[in-house]
Amino acid sequence: MKAKDTLPELFEVEYLAEQYRDILHVEKLAEVNGARFQFPVYGFSLGNQDPKAPVFGLFGGVHGLERIGTHVLLSFLKTLLFRMSWETEWQEFFKHCRLVTIPIINPLGMALTRRGNGNNVDLMRNSPLNATGKLIPLVSGQTYTNLLPWYRGDLSHPEKETLAVQEFCRKHFFQSQRVITLDLHSGFGLRDRLWYPWSTSSTPFPLEPEVLKLKRLLEQTYPYHVYTVEHQSLNYSNHGDLWDWIYQDYASQNPNGKFLPLTLEMGSWLWVKKNPWQFFSWQGLFNPVKKHRYARTMRRHNHLLELLLKASLHHETWSV
Ligand SMILES: [Zn+2]
């Protein structure tokens, strides 16, 4: 099977890079190979390249099975890039802030239809942080074998993809005082959840007051929004969380900076509940299968993504 058939998302990423080469800064962050495939990991940035500018980051495809996160991200990005070609307000907007994104963090896992990467390491369990709190055996991360899911890998040598995300974030976030990121996942629960740190501990997140102000902004802007906003460890804790690790790295370099790493966990159990046949396919457990449900999911999160993008730039006005 050709790479194009097994990972059409990557061709969409490359198509966007080519089509919008005048405004998108494209970085090849890593190259991953295995199982007869070789794929690049791309990072994009758009807008003000001053390292001190406010930043909004979008990340997808950490877990290869959860393709829908990458689809939602690319759909939003495509709309935004197109709007920039005719709405001068957006051109003006991006003079003041930067959008950065890695649409497919784990291309090999996505091509192989698996959660882990080419070494079957769970990239959301791969940082050296150990968790406390509500730990679920195996699911919270295990170091026994890569034959089972949730494998943490060699903690003294994080995977290429993990290091690529860390490097990209260091470059784009560390000098900025205002950063909001959203990492898109699917596969947990009946509702769409917006999680904030920590995942590795149930102790309060130092910027929780900021997160609660952002939550209020969301509620006042969209009173009928669909999200449950909560501390991630309320559901479960996991070892090696990538965003807890990157946040700690950022805070050690930039103690006065405000970095809010959020995770969108799309409630895929609802798709399965409404269409129980999905239960019998790996893809179906993590992605909407019915056409109308897929289309609804693609529309559903645009308001949230746009709000977070604007909240990154106008941080001072809502966080007082
Ligand atoms: Zn996930």
Side-chain angles (χ1 to χ4, degrees):
M1 193 184 279
K2 287 186 187 146
K4 187 167 186 169
D5 299 325
T6 190
L7 193 57
E9 293 84 355
L10 182 62
F11 285 81
E12 204 167 328
V13 168
E14 290 180 334
Y15 174 75
L16 284 179
E18 177 58 26
Q19 193 182 8
Y20 292 99
R21 61 182 181 279
D22 294 343
I23 51 173
L24 268 184
H25 298 257
V26 181
E27 298 171 55
K28 193 184 201 180
L29 307 173
E31 190 122 308
V32 291
N33 51 56
R36 78 197 178 278
F37 293 122
Q38 184 165 347
F39 295 121
V41 177
Y42 288 114
F44 290 166
S45 62
L46 172 70
N48 190 328
Q49 297 297 307
D50 178 351
K52 294 189 167 69
V55 183
F56 176 51
L58 272 175
F59 298 86
V62 171
H63 292 134
L65 274 170
E66 302 164 16
R67 303 186 105 101
I68 190 68
T70 291
H71 292 202
V72 168
L73 186 162
L74 287 175
S75 168
F76 175 76
L77 189 61
K78 265 194 292 193
T79 301
L80 191 63
L81 288 166
F82 178 66
R83 289 178 71 178
M84 277 189 76
S85 69
W86 64 276
E87 285 179 69
T88 50
E89 293 93 328
W90 280 112
Q91 295 164 12
E92 186 58 35
F93 178 86
F94 278 109
K95 285 181 185 163
H96 306 284
C97 71
R98 177 165 68 251
L99 182 145
V100 302
T101 177
I102 306 179
I104 316 172
I105 291 174
N106 176 13
L108 207 47
M110 196 172 283
L112 298 172
T113 318
R114 60 157 80 144
R115 180 181 174 88
N117 70 352
N119 300 322
N120 219 7
V121 171
D122 186 332
L123 299 174
M124 206 36 79
R125 309 281 186 277
N126 184 227
S127 87
L129 296 180
N130 284 316
T132 56
K134 199 192 285 182
L135 294 168
I136 305 173
L138 296 179
V139 174
S140 290
Q142 52 89 13
T143 48
Y144 307 119
T145 170
N146 69 351
L147 298 175
L148 291 171
W150 309 295
Y151 179 57
R152 297 189 63 194
D154 177 354
L155 302 181
S156 53
H157 297 95
E159 297 293 297
K160 262 186 194 174
E161 298 89 334
T162 306
L163 294 174
V165 178
Q166 184 195 43
E167 246 349 276
F168 184 74
C169 292
R170 280 182 169 169
K171 178 180 168 188
H172 285 287
F173 300 173
F174 275 23
Q175 291 186 56
S176 173
Q177 295 297 100
R178 300 284 180 257
V179 183
I180 298 176
T181 59
L182 188 69
D183 183 18
L184 293 98
H185 291 252
S186 59
F188 179 84
L190 289 166
R191 301 202 54 179
D192 291 335
R193 290 161 196 274
L194 209 46
W195 282 337
Y196 59 89
W198 310 108
S199 171
T200 50
S201 157
S202 54
T203 56
F205 177 50
L207 297 180
E208 190 155 319
E210 288 289 305
V211 174
L212 296 178
K213 284 175 194 167
L214 186 60
K215 180 182 179 215
R216 200 166 64 219
L217 182 75
L218 173 65
E219 286 164 354
Q220 290 180 337
T221 311
Y222 296 116
Y224 302 106
H225 76 78
V226 295
Y227 305 99
T228 301
V229 183
E230 60 190 8
H231 191 291
Q232 187 169 349
S233 75
L234 276 180
N235 296 286
Y236 62 91
S237 287
N238 62 265
H239 297 294
D241 187 88
L242 182 60
W243 295 112
D244 285 8
W245 188 50
I246 289 175
Y247 174 83
Q248 289 184 14
D249 198 18
Y250 171 90
S252 70
Q253 296 298 313
N254 192 349
N256 297 319
K258 301 272 171 69
F259 169 25
L260 308 180
L262 306 174
T263 296
L264 171 60
E265 187 71 43
M266 289 176 259
S268 67
W269 297 354
L270 193 65
W271 306 326
V272 179
K273 191 176 151 194
K274 290 188 171 172
N275 182 29
W277 288 108
Q278 281 184 226
F279 188 76
F280 298 103
S281 102
W282 265 122
Q283 291 277 3
L285 283 175
F286 297 91
N287 304 284
V289 170
K290 295 265 183 179
K291 229 175 177 174
H292 68 278
R293 207 160 284 132
Y294 177 83
R296 197 180 301 148
T297 306
M298 299 300 279
R299 290 192 296 270
R300 188 176 172 93
H301 305 289
N302 284 336
H303 289 91
L304 173 72
L305 270 54
E306 189 173 320
L307 181 106
L308 293 177
L309 171 60
K310 293 206 164 166
S312 310
L313 175 60
H314 301 296
H315 207 110
E316 272 74 16
T317 57
W318 57 265
S319 69
V320 284

